[in-house]
Amino acid sequence: SSPSSRMAPGWWSSPRWPRFVVDALHGTLSLTAVVLVALHVVTSVLDPFAPLRLTDAVIPFAGRYRPVWVGLGAVAFDLLVVVVATSLLRRRIGARVWRAVHWVAYACWPPALAHSLGTGSDVRRGWMLALSLACTAVVVTAVGARLATAGGRNANAPDLALQRLQASDRDADRPERRC
């Protein structure tokens, strides 16, 4: 298979969910998430309630309004920007570098969750806590499944990372096939 067919989340497919469907769903959901995050940043900056500047969304912990919680949001946003930028530049930077950086997507979620729990207006409502716990369970399950599928059920994380980088090196040397 070609490098593009092995890219996340193409690692999972079935007869009912072929790889191209999973890849298209991944792309659509990722683009939707990026648009929603951008809307969140813009509306937060425009909202007169919180004295936020656009730089507060990009430079972690530099703002005056809830610096820790907004700073965690900025960390998540910056990581997301790196993933998006390298995805847009994937053909120029190569599959190996893109794949290694794309793993940063997993690191976006914990600071984003902490940001929402620390500064969210609905954090004291039961539904928000329930939604956060449900999302945490889904993410932990998905990451566990991803790690188990990528490196075998008994692989530990450091060995898995080394295996992935070695596989990326091999894949980067192969020309990409197109259908």
Side-chain angles (χ1 to χ4, degrees):
S1 63
S2 71
S4 63
S5 68
R6 285 189 302 274
M7 311 240 175
W11 52 270
W12 184 85
S13 65
S14 73
R16 295 179 103 181
W17 289 81
R19 248 177 232 228
F20 75 92
V21 172
V22 174
D23 288 343
L25 181 63
H26 172 70
T28 301
L29 291 175
S30 298
L31 180 60
T32 302
V34 168
V35 168
L36 290 174
V37 168
L39 283 171
H40 169 66
V41 169
V42 169
T43 56
S44 295
V45 169
L46 294 176
D47 185 357
F49 174 77
L52 292 173
R53 300 166 299 177
L54 193 53
T55 55
D56 297 338
V58 181
I59 302 171
F61 314 109
R64 288 173 270 137
Y65 179 77
R66 298 182 182 175
V68 171
W69 303 116
V70 173
L72 287 170
V75 167
F77 180 74
D78 291 348
L79 292 171
L80 183 62
V81 167
V82 168
V83 171
V84 170
T86 55
S87 292
L88 294 173
L89 297 170
R90 188 177 97 204
R91 291 180 193 234
R92 290 190 174 183
I93 64 174
R96 182 184 62 185
V97 172
W98 174 85
R99 190 174 292 116
V101 173
H102 207 71
W103 280 85
V104 168
Y106 289 104
C108 292
W109 199 78
L113 177 65
H115 164 73
S116 68
L117 293 174
T119 196
S121 58
D122 294 321
V123 75
R124 288 190 172 94
R125 298 177 189 239
W127 67 266
M128 178 63 176
L129 184 57
L131 181 62
S132 296
L133 290 173
C135 288
T136 300
V138 169
V139 169
V140 167
T141 301
V143 169
R146 177 67 173 119
L147 292 173
T149 303
R153 295 196 184 276
N154 296 323
N156 63 33
D159 289 341
L160 175 63
L162 181 60
Q163 291 168 7
R164 298 286 299 164
L165 286 174
Q166 289 169 342
S168 295
D169 285 339
R170 285 190 304 272
D171 293 342
D173 295 333
R174 296 181 189 154
E176 186 172 336
R177 291 186 305 187
R178 299 190 183 229
C179 297

